[in-house]
Amino acid sequence: KWIQLLKQLDFNSSLKLLDHLETHDLQIYCDEEVYQSCMYAQWKTGEPWHVKSLMARMKDRGLLVGSNEYAYLVSSYLNHKDSKQALLILDQMESENITLGKELYDDVIRVCEDGCEAEVIADRMRKNYIPVDNDTHLALFEVYCRSRESEEAFETFNKLVDAKFPIDAGLCEKLCEVSDITMKFQNLLECYSTMVDKEPKITPTNEIYRIAFKAAVNLDRYDDAYNILEHRFVTINKPPAPRMVEVTLLGLNNANQYETAIKMYDSCVKREVDLSFNSLRAVVSAYEHTDQVDKAIDLWRDMKDKGIIQDSQTYHDTLEDLLARMYSRSLQVE
C-alpha cells in the first residue's frame, strides 16, 4: 500500500511520507521499490533537482541507483526542456557503464537544439548498439525541421519513405514549409510528388498546395504549377485564384507550352473561374501559335463584348492582325 500511495501523491507529500517511513521504525519498507515509487512522484510533479536529490539519498542508504533512476532524471530534464543537462547525465551514465532504453534516447533527440546535437545522440545509440530505426529518424526529422536544416530534413524524409514508414500530410507539410523558408524548391516539389504519385497517395493540405505552386513558379515549371492547381480542384474542390491562373498562363505562354495553356483555359471556363485580361490575352496568343486563329478571333471578340478590352485601338489592331493571319493561312491552304 505504501508503494501505491507514494506514486499517487505529489512530490512534496511523497517525500514527507518517505521521511515518515525512514524515521518511525519502518526502515524495513524503504527498499529500492519504495524509493522508485517516490521518484515517480518527483518526476511527475516535481523539478529535476527533486529527482536528483532523491537519487543521492538512495546512494547514501547504500541502495542501487541504476538505469531506471537515471531514466527518470533524464526524462525530467527533457520535460523541462533542458537538453544540455540531459546530455550531461548521458555522459555520466556512459562513464558508469549504464545504458538507457531506446525510447528515452529518441526523446533526448527530439528536444535537441539542432541537427548537430541530435546526431551526437544518434551516434551514441549506435556506439551502444541501440538501433537507430524509423522512430529515431522521425525524431531527427523533427529536429531538422525545427532548426531549418532543410537538406538534412529532406534526406531523412526519403529514408522514412524508402523504409515504408507511414507518412502523413502533417509530416509532409513540415518538410514543405522548411523547404519553402530555405528556398529548396526542388526538394519541396519532390515531397509534393511523393504525396500525390506514390502509393498510398496522400491528400495535400491547402497550405501544401499553396507553397508547392509557389515553388513551381519560382522554378519556372509552369506545367507543374498547372497540375498542382488542377489536382487541388479535383481533390478538395478549391478553384484557383485569378492571379494564380494569370501567372501560370503567362508562364506557359512564355515557355511556348501553348497546348497546356489552352488546356488550362478550358478547365477554367468549365469551372467558371474569372479570368483577367492578361490571362485571356495569353490564351489568344496560345490559339494563334497553335494555328487556331479562328478560336483566337472568337475569344478576342468575346472579350470586347464583355467589356474586358477597354482600349478600342488595341482591339482593332489585334483583330486586324488575327484576320490577316487567318486570311494568309487560307491562301496557303488553297
Side-chain angles (χ1 to χ4, degrees):
K1 69 178 183 179
W2 298 119
I3 289 173
Q4 292 302 319
L5 185 58
L6 283 166
K7 286 184 176 181
Q8 293 171 5
L9 296 172
D10 62 37
F11 74 93
N12 193 38
S13 300
S14 180
L15 279 177
K16 288 181 179 180
L17 177 57
L18 183 63
D19 289 339
H20 175 77
L21 294 174
E22 285 184 336
T23 58
H24 288 75
D25 298 324
L26 296 174
Q27 291 93 340
I28 188 172
Y29 291 109
C30 297
D31 57 8
E32 281 93 347
E33 191 174 8
V34 169
Y35 272 90
Q36 285 177 4
S37 298
C38 184
M39 189 166 293
Y40 175 84
Q42 308 304 301
W43 166 77
K44 188 176 181 180
T45 63
E47 302 272 342
W49 70 267
H50 291 120
V51 178
K52 197 169 185 179
S53 175
L54 190 57
M55 289 174 64
R57 190 165 168 174
M58 289 180 67
K59 290 180 178 179
D60 289 342
R61 286 183 55 83
L63 298 174
L64 177 65
V65 176
S67 58
N68 288 337
E69 289 73 26
Y70 276 107
Y72 277 123
L73 182 57
V74 173
S75 180
S76 182
Y77 280 122
L78 296 180
N79 291 339
H80 289 81
K81 311 299 182 186
D82 193 344
S83 62
K84 294 190 181 303
Q85 284 299 320
L87 288 172
L88 290 175
I89 299 303
L90 289 178
D91 289 335
Q92 182 180 343
M93 291 173 59
E94 285 188 357
S95 68
E96 298 178 14
N97 295 319
I98 300 173
T99 302
L100 282 178
K102 177 192 175 309
E103 292 77 11
L104 202 56
Y105 273 104
D106 289 344
D107 289 339
V108 174
I109 287 175
R110 286 189 179 90
V111 298
C112 287
E113 293 182 3
D114 55 37
C116 290
E117 194 174 275
E119 287 158 12
V120 168
I121 305 302
D123 287 340
R124 289 188 184 207
M125 293 175 68
R126 298 183 185 97
K127 178 182 177 182
N128 291 316
Y129 303 102
I130 298 173
V132 176
D133 58 10
N134 287 338
D135 290 332
T136 308
H137 283 125
L138 180 60
L140 287 165
F141 174 82
E142 292 173 0
V143 175
Y144 292 140
C145 289
R146 189 171 63 247
S147 58
R148 297 184 178 179
E149 297 172 73
S150 60
E151 285 291 351
E152 290 79 3
F154 180 66
E155 290 176 7
T156 307
F157 174 82
N158 284 331
K159 288 180 181 177
L160 292 170
V161 171
D162 293 341
K164 308 299 182 184
F165 185 83
I167 304 297
D168 59 21
L171 197 71
C172 294
E173 186 168 314
K174 286 181 180 179
L175 179 57
C176 287
E177 286 177 346
V178 71
S179 298
D180 178 50
I181 291 170
T182 57
M183 296 190 292
K184 301 295 183 181
F185 301 123
Q186 179 66 38
N187 293 349
L188 197 161
L189 289 181
E190 287 191 31
C191 176
Y192 172 82
S193 178
T194 297
M195 297 182 71
V196 301
D197 294 336
K198 292 187 178 181
E199 296 292 345
K201 291 181 171 60
I202 303 168
T203 301
T205 62
N206 190 53
E207 178 63 10
I208 292 176
Y209 280 124
R210 185 188 70 79
I211 56 182
F213 173 82
K214 174 185 172 184
V217 170
N218 274 284
L219 294 174
D220 293 330
R221 289 167 53 173
Y222 293 100
D223 52 341
D224 286 336
Y226 161 67
N227 289 327
I228 290 166
L229 295 179
E230 187 71 10
H231 192 279
R232 183 178 70 164
F233 184 86
V234 171
T235 305
I236 63 175
N237 196 31
K238 188 175 180 63
R243 178 57 182 163
M244 286 179 158
V245 176
E246 180 177 313
V247 168
T248 307
L249 284 172
L250 290 173
L252 289 169
N253 205 48
N254 290 334
N256 301 328
Q257 294 176 298
Y258 304 116
E259 296 289 351
T260 306
I262 293 170
K263 186 178 178 181
M264 183 175 193
Y265 168 70
D266 291 340
S267 176
C268 290
V269 171
K270 181 180 178 181
R271 289 155 185 169
E272 299 181 346
V273 177
D274 292 330
L275 299 178
S276 66
F277 170 82
N278 289 334
S279 295
L280 293 170
R281 185 69 184 86
V283 178
V284 169
S285 177
Y287 278 139
E288 186 179 358
H289 283 88
T290 54
D291 291 329
Q292 301 180 72
V293 184
D294 52 339
K295 290 186 177 181
I297 292 172
D298 290 343
L299 178 57
W300 192 248
R301 284 172 169 166
D302 186 58
M303 291 168 63
K304 177 63 174 176
D305 293 341
K306 292 179 178 178
I308 297 173
I309 302 174
Q310 299 293 329
D311 185 357
S312 297
Q313 188 65 44
T314 299
Y315 169 72
H316 289 296
D317 289 347
T318 302
L319 183 59
E320 287 180 6
D321 288 342
L322 291 171
L323 289 170
R325 183 181 178 91
M326 186 170 66
Y327 178 69
S328 174
R329 190 183 66 173
S330 64
L331 289 179
Q332 291 173 1
V333 171
E334 292 178 0

